[in-house]
Amino acid sequence: MRILITGAAGFLGSHLCDRLLSEGHEVIGLDNFITGNPENLAHLMNNQKFSFSRHDVSNYIFMRGKVDAVLHFASPASPNPNSPSGYFNLPIQTMKAGALGTHNCLGVAREHKARFLLASTSEIYGDPEVHPQAESYPGNVDTVGTRSVYDEAKRFAESLTMAYHRFHNLNTRIVRIFNTYGPRMDLEDGRALPNLLKQALLGQPLTVYGDGLQTRSFCYVDDLIEGIVRLLYSEEHLPVNIGNPDEMTILHFAETINQITGNKAGIIFAANARSERDPQRRQPDITRAREILRWEPRIGLEEGLRKTIPYFKEKLGLA
Ligand code: NAD
Ligand code: UDP
């Protein structure tokens, strides 16, 4: 296939490029570097099957030649209000990437009769009142809160994708991604894993927001990419959760990081640092992924952290 990947210079987009190139596909990456990093693609620049275009997906996308698949991953993704690359500080760009960007990418897919895959998110469930979150749960999202720019843009993107599927018969897929980590994450984007792992490797205390009893489950990037590729090759049009169901408190997560890195500096609680409507509990119900894609994660937290640490050490100049 000849595949367009938006957000290619980001954490997940760059891993997707690698995986699809390794399967023999041709990949065209597109990114405006608003939160991504060209270094994530540097190793591909001499690959004959890879090309790159610097472009904002919120503007019309013109694609020369055939396109067989469009994977729309371009969007700011960090909820940390203190990070310049968090969507709190890029609210309009975030809404445009989810709304106009999705519209433009669907347009490319329709023009080229290509399949389309949308990177959606567990955030469409908001601060969930149902646990764990199955795809049938419609969510609990505040339309005007500060997180809404991301959540509602992704909800709109899902609706628009289904409209193109139903009205134009476009061959679409929607993946709802739950917290994922691994090499090539931006160390400064303020998400839990980059913050905490960086602090641990620098011998600093880990900043746990609130009382740390809010829960998440963390999926290693290779597992996530495997699930996404299976979905791309499937004929499933309704949303599919992909994430690791191993739920834990953020406090336990931080303790595990300290234990694996041998960090003795402990934990400090930043009582008021949680963002508005920071979800209290989150855990994917992956029954559909298991049944439809025969997929489930294979890499546990300790193994995933060990695979991620060398990248962080290199970035921190500790390697
Ligand atoms: P990231 O910030 O590393 O990557 C996003 C990429 O999109 C960046 O390279 C950025 O420069 C690019 N981008 C943003 N707006 C753009 C625009 N208007 N035009 C062109 N490029 C643009 O984040 P990520 O973690 O790799 O997330 C990728 C996708 O996966 C996002 O759509 C995000 O919502 C989704 N997602 C990620 C996670 C996760 O845990 N990593 C969880 C749920 C959903
Ligand atoms: N968090 C934390 N310390 C940090 C960064 C994040 O305790 O240094 C918490 C945050 O409040 C949230 C959880 O970790 O409850 C996960 O946050 P993340 O930014 O990774 O994204 P989210 O899962 O909220 O989308």
Side-chain angles (χ1 to χ4, degrees), residues 4-9 27-33 41 45 50-57 61-63:
L4 172 67
I5 301 180
T6 75
V27 171
I28 305 137
L30 197 147
D31 206 294
N32 68 351
F33 302 130
L41 297 175
M45 287 306 158
F50 181 75
S51 56
F52 179 81
S53 182
R54 184 171 187 164
H55 183 77
D56 182 335
V57 288
I61 304 166
F62 175 72
M63 288 293 296

Side-chain angles (χ1 to χ4, degrees), residues 77-80 87 122-123 147 150 179 190-196 199 206-210 212 214-216 218 250 253 273-275 278-279 282:
S78 166
N80 194 314
Y87 51 73
S122 53
E123 293 279 338
R147 274 182 107 98
Y150 182 69
N179 297 66
R191 285 187 262 190
L193 183 121
N195 264 12
L196 302 178
Q199 290 160 348
L206 272 52
T207 53
V208 166
Y209 297 170
Q214 68 271 33
T215 69
R216 296 292 186 274
F218 293 90
I250 292 296
F253 181 57
R274 288 182 72 186
S275 62
D278 183 15
R282 181 184 292 158

Side-chain angles (χ1 to χ4, degrees), residues 3-317:
I3 302 175
L4 172 67
I5 301 180
T6 75
F11 163 47
L12 297 181
S14 63
H15 282 280
L16 260 183
C17 291
D18 287 351
R19 171 65 188 262
L20 292 168
L21 286 164
S22 79
E23 297 196 2
H25 300 297
E26 188 179 335
V27 171
I28 305 137
L30 197 147
D31 206 294
N32 68 351
F33 302 130
I34 190 170
T35 62
N37 186 344
E39 276 178 30
N40 289 337
L41 297 175
H43 62 292
L44 297 178
M45 287 306 158
N46 292 324
N47 188 320
Q48 301 289 317
K49 292 203 158 186
F50 181 75
S51 56
F52 179 81
S53 182
R54 184 171 187 164
H55 183 77
D56 182 335
V57 288
S58 309
N59 299 322
Y60 185 86
I61 304 166
F62 175 72
M63 288 293 296
R64 214 183 291 279
K66 72 159 189 158
V67 180
D68 302 300
V70 178
L71 280 63
H72 180 35
F73 278 68
S75 170
S78 166
N80 194 314
N82 302 317
S83 159
S85 57
Y87 51 73
F88 279 71
N89 294 309
L90 301 168
I92 297 165
Q93 293 94 327
T94 302
M95 294 220 75
K96 286 172 77 175
L100 305 178
T102 303
H103 189 222
N104 289 328
C105 290
L106 284 162
V108 173
R110 185 171 175 229
E111 170 72 22
H112 291 266
K113 300 188 172 45
R115 65 183 73 179
F116 174 85
L117 185 146
L118 173 70
S120 185
T121 167
S122 53
E123 293 279 338
I124 67 102
Y125 301 119
D127 189 4
E129 294 152 317
V130 165
H131 193 80
Q133 294 79 52
E135 291 86 345
S136 53
Y137 176 53
N140 174 35
V141 177
D142 169 9
T143 56
V144 292
T146 42
R147 274 182 107 98
S148 67
V149 292
Y150 182 69
D151 304 6
E152 293 294 350
K154 292 286 187 182
R155 289 168 70 94
F156 174 88
E158 287 199 5
S159 301
L160 192 63
T161 300
M162 288 311 293
Y164 268 68
H165 173 65
R166 293 188 178 115
F167 192 73
H168 290 311
N169 217 10
L170 198 74
N171 191 359
T172 59
R173 288 132 188 79
I174 297 172
V175 56
R176 291 186 181 153
I177 302 168
F178 284 65
N179 297 66
T180 300
Y181 68 98
R184 302 199 194 137
M185 287 192 98
D186 175 1
L187 270 64
E188 304 304 326
D189 81 6
R191 285 187 262 190
L193 183 121
N195 264 12
L196 302 178
L197 188 53
K198 186 176 61 181
Q199 290 160 348
L201 292 172
L202 293 173
Q204 298 168 356
L206 272 52
T207 53
V208 166
Y209 297 170
D211 58 11
L213 298 182
Q214 68 271 33
T215 69
R216 296 292 186 274
S217 53
F218 293 90
C219 186
Y220 186 67
V221 62
D222 290 357
D223 278 335
L224 179 92
I225 297 293
E226 177 65 33
I228 290 173
V229 169
R230 286 188 192 207
L231 179 62
L232 177 68
Y233 295 158
S234 81
E235 289 302 322
E236 179 58 38
H237 304 299
L238 290 171
V240 179
N241 289 339
I242 300 282
N244 192 318
D246 181 17
E247 183 188 10
M248 67 193 74
T249 64
I250 292 296
L251 182 57
H252 176 77
F253 181 57
E255 286 166 350
T256 307
I257 290 176
N258 271 343
Q259 180 219 320
I260 286 184
T261 55
N263 182 30
K264 303 271 181 271
I267 285 169
I268 46 170
F269 291 89
N272 300 319
R274 288 182 72 186
S275 62
E276 184 193 0
R277 289 187 179 262
D278 183 15
Q280 184 60 23
R281 291 190 79 183
R282 181 184 292 158
Q283 181 192 29
D285 179 333
I286 59 166
T287 308
R288 274 170 55 73
R290 282 197 174 104
E291 286 176 4
I292 298 167
L293 309 177
R294 301 266 167 256
W295 175 89
E296 62 182 5
R298 305 203 171 280
I299 299 169
L301 182 61
E302 292 202 15
E303 186 186 350
L305 286 173
R306 289 188 206 288
K307 285 169 173 280
T308 307
I309 286 171
Y311 169 83
F312 273 67
K313 282 191 168 168
E314 188 195 315
K315 287 282 164 193
L316 294 167

